[in-house]
């Protein structure tokens, strides 16, 4: 069994409902009696998105998963499809849901389909801040600092996040 961090984001439609549904799908992927950890819900400005993109709701979850990283990737992509995410037409365009695998235990994977740990997570406040709420002392593969330390050292022009809800 693997401990897996996943980022969730939404900036289209009923953002809260999309995130709740994605969390429920992810919870069902766990073994019986496994507890899903989830961070508070944050609002963030779009990063590297088209100019007219709406704000995001972001959070992070940590699950226990028994399959392979590739199987989990297929499951996360299916969650995105079920929640109305269409194939991309523009880079970082608005979307009802984004389900990104951030880490999978201590695995390092570099394939065309999957890169773990997520290659830009250490540069994104909207990923690090929610993740620091559920696993602040985790040290990711290829890093020497904890998630909390990465957040505290972050050099980003990203505006501060606004915490919306601790339970959702």
């Amino acid at each position: 069994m693997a401990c897996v961090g996943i980022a969730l984001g939404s900036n289209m439609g009923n953002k809260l409902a999309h995130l709740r549904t994605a969390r429920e799908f992810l919870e069902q992927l766990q073994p019986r009696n496994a507890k899903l950890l989830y961070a508070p819900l944050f609002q963030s400005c779009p990063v590297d998105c088209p100019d007219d993109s709406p704000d995001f709701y972001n959070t992070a979850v940590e699950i226990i998963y028994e399959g392979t990283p590739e199987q989990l990737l297929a499951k996360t992509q299916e969650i995105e499809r079920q929640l109305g995410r269409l194939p991309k037409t523009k880079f970082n365009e608005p979307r009802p849901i984004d389900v990104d695998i951030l880490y999978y235990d201590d695995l390092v994977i570099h394939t065309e389909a999957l890169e773990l740990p997520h290659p830009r997570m250490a540069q994104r406040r909207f990923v690090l801040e929610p993740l620091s709420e559920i696993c602040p002392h985790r040290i990711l593969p290829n890093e020497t600092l904890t998630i909390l330390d990465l957040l505290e050292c972050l050099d980003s022009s990203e505006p501060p996040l606004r915490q919306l809800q601790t339970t959702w």
Side-chain angles (χ1 to χ4, degrees):
M1 288 190 275
C3 184
V4 182
I6 299 173
L8 300 175
S10 175
N11 73 337
M12 278 182 65
N14 188 333
K15 298 179 247 191
L16 180 56
H18 294 315
L19 294 173
R20 282 180 174 153
T21 303
R23 182 183 65 190
E24 290 168 8
F25 281 132
L26 291 168
E27 196 161 29
Q28 293 170 12
L29 298 178
Q30 298 189 111
R32 252 184 120 96
N33 300 321
K35 183 168 171 40
L36 177 138
L37 296 177
Y38 67 93
L41 189 64
F42 292 89
Q43 183 173 354
S44 67
C45 294
V47 174
D48 296 331
C49 294
D51 289 340
D52 58 346
S53 296
D55 284 354
F56 275 88
Y57 284 9
N58 295 101
T59 192
V61 301
E62 190 173 79
I63 67 170
I64 301 300
Y65 187 70
E66 291 183 311
T68 67
E70 293 78 14
Q71 289 168 327
L72 181 57
L73 177 63
K75 299 278 188 190
T76 60
Q77 290 172 338
E78 180 58 27
I79 291 168
E80 290 179 336
R81 278 190 294 278
Q82 287 186 17
L83 290 175
R85 181 145 182 197
L86 302 173
K88 293 178 187 178
T89 58
K90 284 194 276 185
F91 182 71
N92 280 345
E93 64 192 347
R95 49 214 176 261
I97 193 71
D98 208 4
V99 182
D100 289 336
I101 304 170
L102 301 174
Y103 57 85
Y104 190 102
D105 272 343
D106 292 327
L107 288 180
V108 176
I109 298 174
H110 296 284
T111 67
E112 190 174 318
L114 183 60
E115 196 165 347
L116 293 174
H118 192 286
R120 291 171 301 286
M121 68 180 284
Q123 292 89 41
R124 302 288 198 219
R125 181 178 312 283
F126 65 84
V127 173
L128 290 175
E129 193 162 337
L131 202 54
S132 74
E133 295 280 339
I134 56 174
C135 53
H137 303 293
R138 178 178 291 283
I139 298 175
L140 301 165
N142 300 328
E143 292 288 345
T144 57
L145 300 175
T146 67
I147 288 171
L148 186 58
D149 291 337
L150 288 170
L151 177 61
E152 290 172 354
C153 297
L154 184 64
D155 182 19
S156 171
S157 61
E158 230 179 307
L161 305 185
R162 184 166 72 94
Q163 186 172 320
L164 299 174
Q165 295 176 246
T166 55
T167 57
W168 49 277

